[in-house]
Amino acid sequence: MIKFENVCKSYKSSRNKALNDLSVEILKGEFVFLVGPSGSGKTTFLRLMLREERTDSGRIWVGGRELGAMSSWKVPYYRRNIGCVFQDFRLLPNKTVRQNVAFALEVIGRSRHVIDTKVSQALEIVGLGNKGNRLPNELSGGEQQRVAIARAFVNRPLILLADEPTGNLDPATSQGIMRILDKINRTETTIIMATHDVGIVNTMRRRVIQLDRGSLVRDQQRGIYGLEESDTIEERLTGAVKAVTLNSDEDELLKGRKRRRQTAELSHKSLIAGFDEDLEETE
Amino acid sequence: MSFSANRVLRDTFFNLWRNIQYALAAILTVIVSLSLVGAALLVKQGVANATVEWSHGVGVSLWMNADASNSEVNGISTQLKQSTLIQSCSYLDHNASYDLLKKLYSNQPVVVSAFTINTTPTIFNCVLSNPNNAIEVYNQYSHQPGVYTVVYPGQEIKTMEKITSILQIIMLGMALLMVIASLVLIFVTIRMAIFSRRREVAVMKLVGATNWFIRVPFMLEGMIEGLIGAVIASLLVFGLRNIMGNLVRNTEKLGSSAQPSLLSATVATSHEAIIIGIILIISGAVVGGIGSFVAVRRFLDV
Ligand SMILES: Nc1ncnc2c1ncn2[C@@H]1O[C@H](COP(=O)(O)OP(=O)(O)OP(=O)(O)O)[C@@H](O)[C@H]1O
Ligand SMILES: [Mg+2]
C-alpha cells in the first residue's frame, strides 16, 4: 500500500536532513503510530505522502503509484484518496459544521445529492449528527476535531493521515477521538498518526514507527511509545526484524483484523457494514 | 456543470464584494488608463482620416462649380499645366469627387444626401512647386470663371499633425503608465483576495480540488475588474467622440470655413469609435487577466 524506499529529504533552509535514508512499508488497513522527538521528521513523512513535498532521493509508492513520477496535474486526483487531520483542526470559521464537511466534496465536483447523503453519514460516524448547523466556534475542541475527521473521511479515502490530532485535547477527549479513528480503521482505511501522546500509544498497542533525526530507529508491531530502560541496541534491532517479518506475513495480519472486527461493539456493526458497501461502490 | 459554473460566479462576485476597496481602485485605474488609450486612438484616427486624401504632396485644391462647362474646365486645366507655381495636378471628375464626399462625410449622411453625382463639384488636386505659393495660386484662380473656390489645407494639416503627434505621444505615454498601474493594482487586489481566502484555498488543496478549480474564480475576478473598467472607458470615449463631433459641426455652422471637410474629417466615425471600444474592452480583459494570472501563479502554486 505505502512504501518508502531509501527516502532522503532536506529543506533548503536547514543543513540537516529531515529524513535520512528511510525505508519502510505499510500495508493496507494498518494503523501506524509515527513517534519520535520534535524535529525527527514525522510531519515531513506525512507531507511527502501528500506530495506537498518531494524527495531528494529515494522513492515513495502509494497504492502502486510512484509519487516522484506523478505529474503535478494528477496530484489533486491522487489526494482525493487521502484524508488529513491536523492538530489545529483547520476548519473554515464562517461555515457551519455541515458546510465544512460538504466543502470537501463540493470542491471536487460531487453532485448535491451525493454530498447530502455522504455528509450526513460522515457526521453520524463522528457522533455530530445533531450539531450540523453549529459554527466551529460554537463547538468544543474535541468536537471541532471530530468535524475535521468527518471532513477527512467523507470522501472515503484509502488512507487517513493524522498529524498530532490529539495535541490540543485533554486525555478524555483524546480517547474519544481515538475511538473514532479506530472505527474508521476497521473500514480497511489505513491510518498513519504522528503523535507525542504516550498514553494513547501505550493503550492502543498498534504498530509503532519511531524516527530520530530523520532515521528509522524502531519499527514494532503492537508497540509502545518509548522503549524501557532495559532495552539494548540489540533488542531494538531484533524488534525491528520481528516487525518486518510480521509485516510480510499478511495472512496473520488479516486474521488478526477479523478477530478484532468480531469483537467490535455491536452498536457500530451496522454502520461499518454500510461503509464497506460504499467503499466497494466507489472503487 | 451548471452547479460548478454557479459556484464560480458566486465565488467571484463574493470575492469582489469582500475586496471592494481594492476592486474599486483597480477598476478606476483601468478606466483612466483605457480612456487615455481610447482618446489617443480617437485623435490618431481623426488625423489619419483628415490626411487620407489630402496627403502630404497635395498643396491646393481647385473646386469647380458643379455646373461648370467643359470649356471652363479645360481652360483651367491648361492654365494649371503651364503654371510655374504648380508641379502637377490630378483631376477628380463628378464620380470621383462624389466618392470622396461620401467618404469624408460618412458620419453625416445628411450632407451626402444633399448632393448627387452631377451636383458635386469637380476638383483639381495640385502639388505646388513651392509650398509657399499657395496664397498666390488662390489669388490667381479663385475668381476665374467656373471656379467655385480654392482651398489650401496642406500646411494646416502639417501643423495639426505635428501638434497631434506630440499629443498622441504624451497621451500614449501616460496611458502606458496607467496601464502598468492597473496591472499592479489588479495584481494586488487578487493577492488580497487570495490572502483573505487562504484557509479555504489550503483546504481545497488538501482535499484534492484541481488547480484550475482553485484558480479560475480569482482569474475571473481580475478579468471582470478589467472588463468593468474597459466598458466604462469605452462609454467615455464614445461620449468624447460625440462632443468633438458637435463642436466641429457648430464651428462649421458659425464660420464660413473654406474647408469644411477637413475639420469634420478629424472626427472619427461612430463605426471607428465602436472598433476602438472593442479594442478597449479586449485590452481591459487582457490587463485583468494578466494581472490576476501573475498573482495566481505567484501565490497559488501547489
Ligand atoms: N518548511 C521547512 N523549512 C525548513 N526546514 C523545515 C521545514 N519543515 C521542517 N523542517 C525541518 O525538518 C526537520 C523535521 O521537521 P518535522 O516537521 O518533520 O518534524 P516533526 O517530527 O514533525 O516535529 P514535531 O514533533 O515538532 O512536529 C526539522 O529539523 C525541521 O526544522
Ligand atoms: Mg510535526
Side-chain angles (χ1 to χ4, degrees):
Chain A
M1 183 78 193
I2 300 161
K3 189 172 172 191
F4 277 53
E5 192 179 84
N6 306 108
V7 170
C8 292
K9 171 71 192 171
S10 53
Y11 291 99
K12 277 192 207 86
S13 51
S14 70
R15 252 182 319 112
N16 298 332
K17 283 183 173 169
L19 285 182
N20 188 7
D21 197 25
L22 181 72
S23 297
V24 71
E25 193 172 350
I26 295 167
L27 303 177
K28 183 168 163 59
E30 273 195 286
F31 194 126
V32 177
F33 286 117
L34 211 52
V35 303
S38 190
S40 56
K42 303 181 295 294
T43 299
T44 303
F45 185 102
L46 300 179
R47 282 164 60 81
L48 283 168
M49 276 200 60
L50 263 181
R51 207 174 175 283
E52 280 183 0
E53 294 287 345
R54 302 181 71 161
T55 57
D56 299 343
S57 64
R59 278 186 281 200
I60 302 173
W61 280 272
V62 179
R65 279 166 290 200
E66 207 255 289
L67 299 192
M70 185 181 290
S71 44
S72 53
W73 70 267
K74 279 186 185 159
V75 171
Y77 299 96
Y78 162 72
R79 287 191 187 146
R80 293 176 190 184
N81 299 306
I82 300 181
C84 273
V85 183
F86 302 91
Q87 183 173 1
D88 55 357
F89 320 138
R90 302 199 188 171
L91 300 176
L92 303 174
N94 54 344
K95 288 191 193 297
T96 65
V97 167
R98 261 199 97 79
Q99 287 167 344
N100 262 286
V101 179
F103 188 67
L105 295 176
E106 279 164 13
V107 302
I108 59 172
R110 291 293 137 89
S111 72
R112 240 313 119 209
H113 173 72
V114 171
I115 291 174
D116 282 342
T117 43
K118 286 205 167 186
V119 170
S120 300
Q121 282 175 6
L123 287 177
E124 284 301 325
I125 294 164
V126 299
L128 287 176
N130 55 346
K131 294 191 173 161
N133 293 325
R134 299 263 194 105
L135 287 171
N137 63 12
E138 298 166 344
L139 297 175
S140 72
E143 287 168 331
Q144 288 184 48
Q145 190 60 294
R146 284 193 272 161
V147 178
I149 294 173
R151 181 178 68 192
F153 190 62
V154 70
N155 197 30
R156 303 297 150 86
L158 300 170
I159 301 167
L160 188 77
L161 305 179
D163 197 353
E164 304 186 34
T166 60
N168 279 344
L169 306 174
D170 65 70
T173 316
S174 301
Q175 283 299 321
I177 296 294
M178 292 317 293
R179 265 198 298 278
I180 291 167
L181 290 182
D182 190 41
K183 201 167 29 163
I184 287 173
N185 178 234
R186 284 179 222 182
T187 66
E188 296 286 288
T189 307
T190 311
I191 297 188
I192 304 176
M193 170 170 158
T195 186
H196 289 291
D197 196 320
V198 182
I200 285 173
V201 177
N202 288 350
T203 49
M204 299 268 296
R205 299 307 300 253
R206 299 299 177 90
R207 182 174 172 190
V208 172
I209 293 175
Q210 183 177 353
L211 302 177
D212 191 5
R213 274 161 287 169
S215 299
L216 179 72
V217 293
R218 179 164 59 109
D219 183 349
Q220 189 179 23
Q221 293 293 338
R222 301 170 159 278
I224 52 170
Y225 185 79
L227 289 176
E228 281 117 56
E229 307 270 320
S230 63
D231 281 342
T232 60
I233 287 175
E234 290 97 282
E235 275 173 306
R236 290 191 199 188
L237 283 176
T238 46
V241 171
K242 249 189 246 156
V244 171
T245 33
L246 254 176
N247 256 348
S248 49
D249 198 349
E250 217 168 318
D251 265 1
E252 187 152 332
L253 212 78
L254 286 175
K255 263 185 240 153
R257 178 164 302 109
K258 264 189 199 125
R259 229 184 359 260
R260 273 208 307 282
R261 197 178 281 196
Q262 279 155 5
T263 56
E265 291 166 61
L266 274 173
S267 59
H268 289 156
K269 247 189 179 163
S270 55
L271 239 171
I272 292 160
F275 280 14
D276 286 347
E277 278 162 29
D278 277 356
L279 271 175
E280 274 152 28
E281 165 207 312
T282 49
E283 271 160 24
Chain B
M1 197 60 222
S2 74
F3 175 57
S4 142
N6 246 335
R7 189 234 24 144
V8 167
L9 282 181
R10 209 185 38 209
D11 273 18
T12 305
F13 282 100
F14 184 67
N15 273 350
L16 231 137
W17 180 243
R18 196 149 64 168
N19 237 338
I20 192 73
Q21 298 100 324
Y22 282 91
L24 274 182
I27 290 171
L28 284 174
T29 45
V30 172
I31 293 174
V32 174
S33 60
L34 291 184
S35 301
L36 277 170
V37 172
L41 288 176
L42 216 54
V43 170
K44 189 176 158 64
Q45 191 56 47
V47 175
N49 287 351
T51 44
V52 69
E53 292 300 332
W54 311 82
S55 57
H56 305 283
V58 176
V60 296
S61 295
L62 276 81
W63 292 50
M64 304 302 290
N65 287 325
D67 55 358
S69 67
N70 276 349
S71 64
E72 281 168 344
V73 172
N74 288 338
I76 295 292
S77 176
T78 326
Q79 280 189 54
L80 287 172
K81 265 178 205 146
Q82 286 163 359
S83 168
T84 52
L85 298 171
I86 282 161
Q87 207 175 61
S88 64
C89 285
S90 63
Y91 178 64
L92 299 183
D93 61 12
H94 285 296
N95 278 319
S97 68
Y98 185 66
D99 285 345
L100 176 61
L101 176 97
K102 275 196 295 191
K103 196 184 263 175
L104 291 179
Y105 286 90
S106 61
N107 55 341
Q108 294 171 38
V110 185
V111 176
V112 178
S113 64
F115 289 86
T116 66
I117 291 180
N118 285 326
T119 58
T120 313
T122 59
I123 303 171
F124 287 98
N125 281 328
C126 298
V127 180
L128 299 168
S129 46
N130 179 338
N132 302 327
N133 295 341
I135 306 254
E136 224 170 309
V137 174
Y138 177 83
N139 292 337
Q140 229 173 66
Y141 289 91
S142 56
H143 301 296
Q144 300 246 7
V147 174
Y148 169 62
T149 184
V150 177
V151 292
Y152 48 103
Q155 278 160 321
E156 282 161 51
I157 287 180
K158 286 219 172 81
T159 341
M160 195 173 81
E161 269 187 329
K162 224 175 272 168
I163 293 170
T164 54
S165 71
I166 293 169
L167 196 70
Q168 278 176 54
I169 290 170
I170 293 171
M171 280 167 106
L172 282 177
M174 276 162 52
L176 190 72
L177 288 181
M178 290 305 292
V179 166
I180 293 171
S182 336
L183 272 173
V184 171
L185 264 169
I186 285 175
F187 173 85
V188 171
T189 313
I190 301 307
R191 190 183 65 181
M192 290 302 296
I194 292 171
F195 184 76
S196 67
R197 296 190 65 190
R198 63 196 178 285
R199 285 210 187 100
E200 259 165 286
V201 168
V203 172
M204 284 197 254
K205 281 183 185 169
L206 211 58
V207 300
T210 58
N211 250 332
W212 283 113
F213 187 91
I214 300 173
R215 287 177 175 187
V216 161
F218 293 112
M219 296 210 28
L220 216 59
E221 186 184 340
M223 279 174 86
I224 285 176
E225 284 164 6
L227 273 176
I228 293 175
V231 167
I232 296 173
S234 343
L235 292 178
L236 289 179
V237 168
F238 253 79
L240 184 68
R241 190 206 77 90
N242 287 341
I243 291 169
M244 272 167 70
N246 286 340
L247 262 175
V248 166
R249 222 166 299 145
N250 289 343
T251 26
E252 272 175 10
K253 267 182 218 149
L254 290 175
S256 56
S257 171
Q259 54 239 188
S261 53
L262 175 63
L263 251 183
S264 55
T266 58
V267 180
T269 63
S270 53
H271 181 68
E272 284 158 355
I274 287 173
I275 291 174
I276 291 174
I278 291 171
I279 292 174
L280 292 189
I281 286 170
I282 293 172
S283 316
V286 168
V287 166
I290 292 176
S292 49
F293 183 72
V294 174
V296 160
R297 275 304 291 264
R298 191 130 149 49
F299 302 109
L300 271 188
D301 244 20
V302 249

